[in-house]
PDB file of all heavy atoms in Angstrom:
ATOM      1  N   GLY A 395      -4.364 -16.263 -39.359  1.00  0.00           N
ATOM      2  CA  GLY A 395      -3.297 -16.806 -40.156  1.00  0.00           C
ATOM      3  C   GLY A 395      -2.745 -18.177 -39.660  1.00  0.00           C
ATOM      4  O   GLY A 395      -3.283 -18.755 -38.731  1.00  0.00           O
ATOM      5  N   PRO A 406       8.122 -30.310 -39.685  1.00  0.00           N
ATOM      6  CA  PRO A 406       7.850 -29.999 -38.311  1.00  0.00           C
ATOM      7  C   PRO A 406       9.086 -29.826 -37.370  1.00  0.00           C
ATOM      8  O   PRO A 406      10.027 -30.549 -37.568  1.00  0.00           O
ATOM      9  CB  PRO A 406       7.100 -31.235 -37.847  1.00  0.00           C
ATOM     10  CG  PRO A 406       6.564 -31.832 -39.145  1.00  0.00           C
ATOM     11  CD  PRO A 406       7.652 -31.432 -40.121  1.00  0.00           C
ATOM     12  N   GLU A 427      10.875  -0.996 -31.232  1.00  0.00           N
ATOM     13  CA  GLU A 427      11.152   0.180 -32.128  1.00  0.00           C
ATOM     14  C   GLU A 427       9.870   1.125 -32.134  1.00  0.00           C
ATOM     15  O   GLU A 427      10.075   2.350 -32.138  1.00  0.00           O
ATOM     16  CB  GLU A 427      11.373  -0.427 -33.530  1.00  0.00           C
ATOM     17  CG  GLU A 427      11.764   0.799 -34.498  1.00  0.00           C
ATOM     18  CD  GLU A 427      12.084   0.324 -35.857  1.00  0.00           C
ATOM     19  OE1 GLU A 427      12.347  -0.904 -36.042  1.00  0.00           O
ATOM     20  OE2 GLU A 427      12.210   1.051 -36.761  1.00  0.00           O
ATOM     21  N   LEU A 443       9.414  11.831 -17.587  1.00  0.00           N
ATOM     22  CA  LEU A 443      10.292  12.882 -17.138  1.00  0.00           C
ATOM     23  C   LEU A 443       9.533  13.665 -16.077  1.00  0.00           C
ATOM     24  O   LEU A 443      10.309  14.534 -15.377  1.00  0.00           O
ATOM     25  CB  LEU A 443      10.567  13.781 -18.289  1.00  0.00           C
ATOM     26  CG  LEU A 443      11.689  13.357 -19.357  1.00  0.00           C
ATOM     27  CD1 LEU A 443      11.783  14.216 -20.573  1.00  0.00           C
ATOM     28  CD2 LEU A 443      13.057  13.188 -18.589  1.00  0.00           C
ATOM     29  N   GLU A 478       4.638   7.407  -4.191  1.00  0.00           N
ATOM     30  CA  GLU A 478       3.363   6.863  -4.198  1.00  0.00           C
ATOM     31  C   GLU A 478       2.355   7.581  -4.889  1.00  0.00           C
ATOM     32  O   GLU A 478       1.461   7.016  -5.688  1.00  0.00           O
ATOM     33  CB  GLU A 478       2.944   6.525  -2.755  1.00  0.00           C
ATOM     34  CG  GLU A 478       3.717   5.364  -2.091  1.00  0.00           C
ATOM     35  CD  GLU A 478       2.900   4.641  -1.099  1.00  0.00           C
ATOM     36  OE1 GLU A 478       1.651   4.405  -1.366  1.00  0.00           O
ATOM     37  OE2 GLU A 478       3.438   4.281  -0.043  1.00  0.00           O
ATOM     38  N   ARG A 499      -5.050  -3.071 -29.409  1.00  0.00           N
ATOM     39  CA  ARG A 499      -6.091  -1.994 -29.881  1.00  0.00           C
ATOM     40  C   ARG A 499      -5.456  -1.013 -30.773  1.00  0.00           C
ATOM     41  O   ARG A 499      -6.098  -0.571 -31.745  1.00  0.00           O
ATOM     42  CB  ARG A 499      -6.682  -1.376 -28.558  1.00  0.00           C
ATOM     43  CG  ARG A 499      -7.722  -0.405 -28.803  1.00  0.00           C
ATOM     44  CD  ARG A 499      -8.977  -1.021 -29.449  1.00  0.00           C
ATOM     45  NE  ARG A 499      -9.387  -2.314 -28.825  1.00  0.00           N
ATOM     46  CZ  ARG A 499     -10.266  -3.092 -29.389  1.00  0.00           C
ATOM     47  NH1 ARG A 499     -10.785  -2.790 -30.561  1.00  0.00           N
ATOM     48  NH2 ARG A 499     -10.645  -4.154 -28.843  1.00  0.00           N
ATOM     49  N   TYR A 525       3.472  -8.632 -24.989  1.00  0.00           N
ATOM     50  CA  TYR A 525       3.590  -8.371 -23.580  1.00  0.00           C
ATOM     51  C   TYR A 525       4.921  -8.086 -23.083  1.00  0.00           C
ATOM     52  O   TYR A 525       5.230  -7.035 -22.355  1.00  0.00           O
ATOM     53  CB  TYR A 525       2.911  -9.442 -22.755  1.00  0.00           C
ATOM     54  CG  TYR A 525       3.044  -9.206 -21.266  1.00  0.00           C
ATOM     55  CD1 TYR A 525       2.121  -8.395 -20.660  1.00  0.00           C
ATOM     56  CD2 TYR A 525       4.002  -9.884 -20.444  1.00  0.00           C
ATOM     57  CE1 TYR A 525       2.208  -8.156 -19.276  1.00  0.00           C
ATOM     58  CE2 TYR A 525       4.164  -9.726 -19.136  1.00  0.00           C
ATOM     59  CZ  TYR A 525       3.230  -8.827 -18.429  1.00  0.00           C
ATOM     60  OH  TYR A 525       3.301  -8.582 -17.166  1.00  0.00           O
ATOM     61  N   PHE A 561      25.947   2.764   1.437  1.00  0.00           N
ATOM     62  CA  PHE A 561      26.670   1.536   1.691  1.00  0.00           C
ATOM     63  C   PHE A 561      26.817   1.284   3.199  1.00  0.00           C
ATOM     64  O   PHE A 561      27.140   0.107   3.613  1.00  0.00           O
ATOM     65  CB  PHE A 561      28.017   1.582   1.145  1.00  0.00           C
ATOM     66  CG  PHE A 561      27.984   1.798  -0.355  1.00  0.00           C
ATOM     67  CD1 PHE A 561      28.163   2.944  -1.019  1.00  0.00           C
ATOM     68  CD2 PHE A 561      27.767   0.575  -1.173  1.00  0.00           C
ATOM     69  CE1 PHE A 561      28.140   3.099  -2.387  1.00  0.00           C
ATOM     70  CE2 PHE A 561      27.588   0.683  -2.600  1.00  0.00           C
ATOM     71  CZ  PHE A 561      27.789   1.867  -3.233  1.00  0.00           C
ATOM     72  N   PRO A 600     -13.276   1.255 -19.105  1.00  0.00           N
ATOM     73  CA  PRO A 600     -12.733   0.306 -17.961  1.00  0.00           C
ATOM     74  C   PRO A 600     -11.327   0.793 -17.449  1.00  0.00           C
ATOM     75  O   PRO A 600     -11.116   0.512 -16.245  1.00  0.00           O
ATOM     76  CB  PRO A 600     -12.623  -1.105 -18.739  1.00  0.00           C
ATOM     77  CG  PRO A 600     -12.618  -0.814 -20.207  1.00  0.00           C
ATOM     78  CD  PRO A 600     -13.410   0.418 -20.366  1.00  0.00           C
ATOM     79  N   GLU A 637      -1.980   7.130   4.548  1.00  0.00           N
ATOM     80  CA  GLU A 637      -2.999   7.321   3.579  1.00  0.00           C
ATOM     81  C   GLU A 637      -4.062   8.280   3.922  1.00  0.00           C
ATOM     82  O   GLU A 637      -5.026   8.421   3.233  1.00  0.00           O
ATOM     83  CB  GLU A 637      -3.593   5.955   3.199  1.00  0.00           C
ATOM     84  CG  GLU A 637      -2.675   4.919   2.600  1.00  0.00           C
ATOM     85  CD  GLU A 637      -3.294   3.704   2.248  1.00  0.00           C
ATOM     86  OE1 GLU A 637      -3.622   2.901   3.149  1.00  0.00           O
ATOM     87  OE2 GLU A 637      -3.484   3.401   1.005  1.00  0.00           O
ATOM     88  N   PHE A 656       2.335 -11.034  -8.235  1.00  0.00           N
ATOM     89  CA  PHE A 656       2.409 -10.337  -9.407  1.00  0.00           C
ATOM     90  C   PHE A 656       2.904 -11.202 -10.627  1.00  0.00           C
ATOM     91  O   PHE A 656       2.312 -11.173 -11.724  1.00  0.00           O
ATOM     92  CB  PHE A 656       3.495  -9.205  -9.392  1.00  0.00           C
ATOM     93  CG  PHE A 656       2.998  -7.946  -8.678  1.00  0.00           C
ATOM     94  CD1 PHE A 656       3.371  -7.713  -7.325  1.00  0.00           C
ATOM     95  CD2 PHE A 656       2.215  -7.066  -9.255  1.00  0.00           C
ATOM     96  CE1 PHE A 656       2.985  -6.602  -6.686  1.00  0.00           C
ATOM     97  CE2 PHE A 656       1.778  -5.939  -8.673  1.00  0.00           C
ATOM     98  CZ  PHE A 656       2.095  -5.706  -7.423  1.00  0.00           C
ATOM     99  N   ARG A 672      -6.666 -16.418 -29.737  1.00  0.00           N
ATOM    100  CA  ARG A 672      -6.918 -17.562 -30.528  1.00  0.00           C
ATOM    101  C   ARG A 672      -8.353 -17.466 -31.226  1.00  0.00           C
ATOM    102  O   ARG A 672      -8.619 -17.991 -32.248  1.00  0.00           O
ATOM    103  CB  ARG A 672      -6.868 -18.845 -29.753  1.00  0.00           C
ATOM    104  CG  ARG A 672      -5.299 -19.278 -29.491  1.00  0.00           C
ATOM    105  CD  ARG A 672      -5.250 -20.662 -29.064  1.00  0.00           C
ATOM    106  NE  ARG A 672      -5.598 -21.594 -30.129  1.00  0.00           N
ATOM    107  CZ  ARG A 672      -4.707 -22.074 -31.002  1.00  0.00           C
ATOM    108  NH1 ARG A 672      -3.511 -21.560 -31.004  1.00  0.00           N
ATOM    109  NH2 ARG A 672      -5.229 -22.981 -31.892  1.00  0.00           N
ATOM    110  N   ALA A 679     -14.345  -2.416 -38.763  1.00  0.00           N
ATOM    111  CA  ALA A 679     -15.519  -1.463 -38.790  1.00  0.00           C
ATOM    112  C   ALA A 679     -15.731  -0.896 -37.406  1.00  0.00           C
ATOM    113  O   ALA A 679     -15.603  -1.559 -36.454  1.00  0.00           O
ATOM    114  CB  ALA A 679     -16.760  -2.371 -39.081  1.00  0.00           C
TER     115      ALA A 679
END
Side-chain angles (χ1 to χ4, degrees):
E427 183 177 349
L443 285 173
E478 287 210 40
R499 186 56 51 186
Y525 176 78
F561 297 101
E637 295 183 290
F656 281 103
R672 285 191 67 84

